[in-house]
Amino acid sequence: MAIIEVANLSKSYGELNVLKHMTFEVEKKDVVAVIGPSGSGKSTMLRSLIHLEQINGGTIRVTGEALVQDGVYAKPADIKRITSRMGMVFQHFNLFPHLTVRENLELAPRIVKGESADDFRKRSMALLDKVGLSARASEYPAKLSGGQKQRVAIARALMMNPEILLFDEPTSALDPELTGEVMQVMKNLAEEHMTMIVVTHEMGFAREVANRVMFMDKGEIVESGHPQQLFTNPQHERTKAFLNLG
């Protein structure tokens, strides 16, 4: 069974149709790269999956449960429970500047999970070690590079033990020399079979790490397929033009 099922997803701002009847599924352990020109609706689609945007029509099911069914949302308690299965990594890190690196990781589980301080302390340090930043646990975000901040943001998303990770342009705010360290963490997660949906302009990541690529334009999925097929033999003229293969 698909871990995420989306059917006829529609989103409008007044007269502007941002998402137009999008339908797709994501299987457990998939790494789906979402590519396309700016303004094509990629981030809006991603944010809709975790209820940071409210859709106008369609269905979103996560692990078989409806977050929204034919445009009607689940009850607030159910929305909270369903969206807790997903973690989100944003373009601009969204770390709390007044909290240390470790405190940034521990804030949400401290509020939500009700587990002991020892438990989430062990987990936060293990996750910081996983992203290569255990030595920076007591520092504040202002002392970190952009790449380090984004690695902290990934570790923070993992603190809640999500089944799915959503990434919204995770490297677009970084200098090119810092992109590699973030991409390596994401590659490691893919190798550990984390289900991921990644909105990205990094074609190398889409080609090498994703097992499926979705090309979006003007609020629609124009083409979707295996990276090898999509990058070497795209079927649609809009895809060819975007990849400069026309």
Side-chain angles (χ1 to χ4, degrees), residues 126-140:
L127 285 169
L128 287 173
D129 188 54
K130 184 186 186 80
V131 299
L133 289 171
S134 55
R136 314 300 290 271
S138 298
E139 296 190 11
Y140 289 90

Side-chain angles (χ1 to χ4, degrees), residues 6-108:
V6 175
N8 295 313
L9 186 65
S10 301
K11 169 74 177 176
S12 301
Y13 296 107
E15 297 295 310
L16 179 64
N17 295 322
V18 182
L19 301 176
K20 304 170 186 173
H21 304 291
M22 289 185 62
T23 296
F24 65 93
E25 292 187 351
V26 177
E27 300 290 333
K28 194 173 174 63
K29 303 180 184 179
D30 270 354
V31 179
V32 179
V34 185
I35 64 171
S38 295
S40 59
K42 303 184 302 294
S43 293
T44 302
M45 177 277 293
L46 197 72
R47 291 167 64 85
S48 297
L49 298 181
I50 200 166
H51 198 233
L52 292 175
E53 296 276 358
Q54 191 148 334
I55 64 168
N56 300 112
T59 296
I60 300 170
R61 301 182 75 85
V62 181
T63 62
E65 282 196 273
L67 172 68
V68 52
Q69 180 81 39
D70 298 325
V72 178
Y73 276 89
K75 295 175 182 176
D78 292 330
I79 290 173
K80 186 175 181 181
R81 179 172 48 77
I82 292 166
T83 56
S84 73
R85 296 170 189 155
M86 296 176 276
M88 182 99 175
V89 178
F90 299 90
Q91 180 177 347
H92 293 291
F93 327 128
N94 291 8
L95 300 179
F96 292 105
H98 64 291
L99 299 180
T100 66
V101 163
R102 183 174 53 74
E103 288 167 345
N104 264 280
L105 265 66
E106 294 175 3
L107 180 63

